[in-house]
Amino acid sequence: MTELLAKRRISRSVMIGNVQVGGGAPLSIQSMNNTRTADIPATLAQLQCLAEAGCQIGRLAVADIEDAAALPKIVRLSPLPLVADIHFDHRLALASVKAGIAGLRINPGNIGGKERVHQVAQAAKAAAIPIRVGVNGGSLEKDLLQKYGGITAETLVESAGRHIEMLEDTGFFDIKISLKASRLPIMLAAFRQMAAICEYPLHIGVTEAGLPGKGSVKSALGIGSLLAQGIGDTLRVSLTGDPLEEVRLALDILHFLELKPGSPEVISCPTCGRTTIDVAALATAVQKELTMLRPIKQLTIAIMGCAVNGPGEAREADFGVAGASNGAVLFAKGEIIGRYEKENILPELLRRIGGYLNENE
């Protein structure tokens, strides 16, 4: 239950389009297109898929003038509010603001000095859009790396502080902050330090986590640890490959911490010598059927292999299967609804689930 987690840090709030970030608003899920932004049809198609998967804020790389030129049409047709990700050229940030972007992500240290940062801040202020100060372990200032002996939590926090000060000096305060490193202990310590010294909303995540699999574990550990400590206002899972996997994992992290309802969940036992049914095959088949429902339906299915923990877990789920000596027992909402031979378990379970969902549309 959420009250068992640390009390959530209440930050200032900013608006990214119609999505509030911080100020006690629900945690929001972000992802980033891996299409070339100048390819308008591909970019819009991926944004639509991300929105349907449960993403709430999209981000686009604006790497050159062709990308910037595509933004007015993309912004107009996008199902999500969009953040422009800018590096090196402040003119691309100015063009993005003019195109109607809902937010900017910049690294003030690489955008060309204070004067250019001030120009971007003033344009964002006039448009009433926020700026994310994105500090990354791979692009820290040389003097700070020397001061702290490399990439440390302190390096990240002081770098962010410099960039925040650049914006505040212009009278700009619609800021959110990210402090990302590929090493979990550094990333966790940096966010804890920043949460203690400022009121700006925090965008959390593990940068360059890697491929789904180990990268998913790394992301879940890092993001989940911060959320359990009450730290974080918006998040992005960063995985190599299809950004839809980022959104699905983000939903799962929030769901398992009971911070957001949504994705269907299959609970299954690890199996042992007492197992009387093919738990792995059943769980895989049910998960495949349920995947198309996320994040529309919240549903729990328990697939348990024997009579030791099986009946108890099955009763607690919306639907449950517990292996028995002559097949399996099927449960619905805590009640036994029948005993079935092994070959009939899956079709009967799917039939019951389908009926339940149709009744509750």
Side-chain angles (χ1 to χ4, degrees):
M1 298 175 65
T2 54
E3 60 265 27
L4 298 179
L5 304 178
K7 185 178 180 181
R8 187 168 166 209
R9 166 186 176 268
I10 300 300
S11 67
R12 299 172 62 171
S13 70
V14 299
M15 296 298 297
I16 301 178
N18 61 355
V19 179
Q20 181 180 340
V21 174
L27 289 149
S28 53
I29 295 172
Q30 304 195 26
S31 188
M32 185 171 182
N33 277 53
N34 60 7
T35 57
R36 172 74 191 276
T37 301
D39 186 342
I40 295 174
T43 298
L44 287 171
Q46 191 169 76
L47 287 169
Q48 185 63 43
C49 290
L50 290 171
E52 291 172 359
C55 186
Q56 294 156 288
I57 299 168
R59 181 152 52 106
L60 304 177
V62 182
D64 53 35
I65 194 63
E66 288 79 14
D67 288 345
L71 284 181
K73 184 173 183 179
I74 293 171
V75 168
R76 187 172 72 252
L77 299 177
S78 173
L80 297 173
L82 298 176
V83 175
D85 192 286
I86 310 294
H87 290 276
F88 309 123
D89 191 341
H90 77 292
R91 294 171 298 179
L92 297 175
L94 297 175
S96 299
V97 173
K98 188 175 181 180
I101 208 75
L104 292 174
R105 187 272 187 182
I106 64 173
N107 181 337
N110 73 17
I111 210 164
K114 288 186 177 181
E115 179 57 36
R116 290 175 178 178
V117 171
H118 286 194
Q119 288 180 42
V120 173
Q122 290 306 305
K125 187 174 183 178
I129 64 172
I131 293 175
R132 170 158 72 98
V133 171
V135 177
N136 193 300
S139 55
L140 292 166
E141 296 94 323
K142 291 181 180 179
D143 67 310
L144 291 180
L145 290 170
Q146 184 174 10
K147 176 180 178 180
Y148 292 106
I151 301 171
T152 67
E154 292 75 18
T155 319
L156 291 166
V157 171
E158 185 166 340
S159 177
R162 286 182 178 180
H163 302 159
I164 292 164
E165 187 176 352
M166 284 186 194
L167 296 175
E168 290 176 337
D169 284 348
T170 72
F172 188 88
F173 300 96
D174 285 336
I175 298 167
K176 57 190 178 82
I177 305 166
S178 66
L179 306 159
K180 295 190 177 181
S182 58
R183 290 178 58 195
L184 285 186
I186 291 174
M187 168 267 203
L188 293 171
F191 272 111
R192 286 195 298 266
Q193 289 179 27
M194 184 58 74
I197 62 173
C198 83
E199 296 182 344
Y200 290 120
L202 299 177
H203 171 121
I204 62 174
V206 182
T207 191
E208 296 134 11
L211 293 164
K214 286 188 177 182
S216 301
V217 174
K218 194 174 184 179
S219 294
L221 282 170
I223 293 170
S225 295
L226 289 172
L227 293 177
Q229 296 172 67
I231 297 171
D233 300 288
T234 186
L235 64 102
R236 181 202 173 186
V237 173
S238 299
L239 296 175
T240 303
D242 188 345
L244 286 176
E245 289 301 314
E246 299 183 350
V247 178
R248 291 166 181 152
L249 180 55
L251 281 166
D252 283 341
I253 292 169
L254 294 176
H255 172 61
F256 292 140
L257 284 171
E258 300 183 15
L259 293 168
K260 184 185 284 289
S263 57
E265 180 181 357
V266 176
I267 297 168
S268 58
C269 70
T271 72
C272 69
R274 290 186 297 267
T275 302
T276 62
I277 57 176
D278 191 340
V279 173
L282 281 170
T284 299
V286 172
Q287 184 67 66
K288 184 177 180 180
E289 291 291 323
L290 293 178
T291 297
M292 66 185 68
L293 301 176
R294 72 166 71 199
I296 300 168
K297 296 290 183 181
Q298 185 176 0
L299 196 65
T300 304
I301 315 295
I303 310 293
M304 307 298 292
C306 75
V308 176
N309 295 319
E313 291 283 358
R315 284 192 179 95
E316 290 297 316
D318 294 300
F319 290 91
V321 172
S325 58
N326 58 348
V329 180
L330 185 58
F331 293 79
K333 298 294 182 180
E335 302 294 330
I336 294 176
I337 58 175
R339 299 174 185 273
Y340 299 91
E341 295 180 355
K342 294 178 182 180
E343 62 270 20
N344 295 326
I345 299 167
L346 180 60
E348 183 61 23
L349 176 59
L350 294 179
R351 186 181 74 81
R352 296 278 184 166
I353 293 171
Y356 169 78
L357 294 177
N358 289 333
E359 289 173 6
N360 289 275
E361 284 290 347

